[in-house]
Amino acid sequence: MTRSGKMVRARFITFEGIEGVGKSTHLKFVAGWLRAHGIKLLVTREPGGTELADEIRKLLLTPRKRIVTPMAELLLMFAARASHVEQVIRPALDSGRWVLCDRFTDASYAYQGGGRHIPARDIAALERMVTRGLKPDLTLLLVAPVHVGMTRVRQRGRRDRFELEQRAFFERVRRTYLQRAKREVRRMRIIGAEASMGTVRRQVLRVLEERVAKWL
Ligand code: TMP
């Protein structure tokens, strides 16, 4: 239900990009814009969003001396996602609440696929099992050069297991995100995140006006 009393279908919107591109800031802005239009929504993130998924998040983000195998990492991401989709995302959408999620399956293709070289068809097989056709209605892909993101991450202080990766890893992740965005132009909208906060916000607002306003 919007402010004008119209019934609207609950939508699923995700935010993607390499670390340090400002996803959470822009997610908050979109959440505020939707709330101002009378939309009830849930804000969540991956990996995480349920008690189990939050525990898996800790396992995945803790820096370790020994390598975590790419397949173990991928399966943990999807174990967290299974719990999140079944217990949080689907129930929210079914009850009419919109869902804004900081990262979703695109991140598995970008990080475990592009970053860790797992074939996309293996990720697609897990996606079919776990998300059962649940796809974001809209994905905002925030894009900045890798060195910009890495500088911002360094300024934040302590780094998690992914943030400790080398630049080449993030270049592969970024490239994979961009390739996906090229293939899915309707769903994925690229936002140039290197610009000033005001400029980035204007781009986000344009997407809201072009894509989201008509859903309200
Ligand atoms: P963040 O939410 O603070 O960005 O941290 C989550 C990290 O997990 C980030 O480095 C990206 C990574 N990740 C994957 O590698 N695959 C995934 O499927 C998801 C959701 C996140």
Side-chain angles (χ1 to χ4, degrees):
M1 190 91 85
T2 61
R3 179 159 279 171
S4 57
K6 199 172 129 201
M7 284 293 285
V8 295
R9 177 161 78 78
R11 302 286 176 163
F12 180 31
I13 302 178
T14 60
F15 295 76
E16 299 280 358
I18 58 167
E19 359 285 290
V21 289
K23 275 180 296 109
S24 38
T25 310
H26 299 296
L27 188 154
K28 278 192 204 118
F29 172 69
V30 173
W33 187 90
L34 286 169
R35 286 198 184 101
H37 284 80
I39 294 296
K40 287 209 167 53
L41 55 91
L42 173 90
V43 172
T44 185
R45 68 171 178 189
E46 288 211 345
T50 67
E51 195 184 307
L52 177 69
D54 282 333
E55 284 181 32
I56 297 174
R57 179 185 177 88
K58 263 188 229 139
L59 287 175
L60 282 164
L61 296 194
T62 306
R64 294 170 193 281
K65 286 204 189 76
R66 295 241 181 138
I67 194 164
V68 177
T69 68
M71 189 50 79
E73 183 178 283
L74 177 72
L75 291 171
L76 284 169
M77 289 293 175
F78 272 96
R81 184 162 297 133
S83 155
H84 193 211
V85 167
E86 285 166 40
Q87 296 183 296
V88 174
I89 300 179
R90 277 209 193 273
L93 294 171
D94 289 345
S95 74
R97 283 172 90 190
W98 290 42
V99 176
L100 300 193
C101 193
D102 189 337
R103 300 190 185 282
F104 193 59
T105 312
D106 289 308
S108 302
Y109 284 98
Y111 284 77
Q112 284 66 52
R116 308 265 195 238
H117 305 292
I118 294 186
R121 64 173 180 281
D122 291 347
I123 303 174
L126 284 168
E127 180 181 18
R128 271 194 299 280
M129 280 192 281
V130 170
T131 62
R132 297 189 181 278
L134 177 69
K135 276 224 160 198
D137 294 288
L138 175 67
T139 298
L140 297 187
L141 174 61
L142 291 141
V143 177
V146 167
H147 70 88
V148 172
M150 288 183 88
T151 304
R152 290 193 196 151
V153 165
R154 261 186 238 117
Q155 285 162 353
R156 284 204 295 241
R158 228 173 64 208
R159 287 186 269 171
D160 67 33
R161 196 171 60 81
F162 287 96
E163 290 165 352
L164 288 167
E165 285 294 338
Q166 299 297 310
R167 180 172 174 159
F169 174 84
F170 292 108
E171 295 286 2
R172 292 197 296 277
V173 171
R174 182 175 182 275
R175 205 176 320 126
T176 310
Y177 268 136
L178 286 170
Q179 283 163 356
R180 287 181 72 70
K182 247 195 218 154
R183 279 203 306 267
E184 295 202 51
V185 273
R186 280 248 5 111
R187 175 176 70 86
M188 294 181 83
R189 295 296 294 263
I190 297 174
I191 307 284
E194 198 190 355
S196 70
M197 179 66 93
T199 309
V200 180
R201 188 156 286 183
R202 271 196 295 283
Q203 294 177 62
V204 173
L205 197 54
R206 196 174 327 128
V207 173
L208 291 173
E209 282 161 356
E210 281 174 16
R211 292 292 317 276
V212 181
K214 63 174 183 247
W215 292 334
L216 303 177

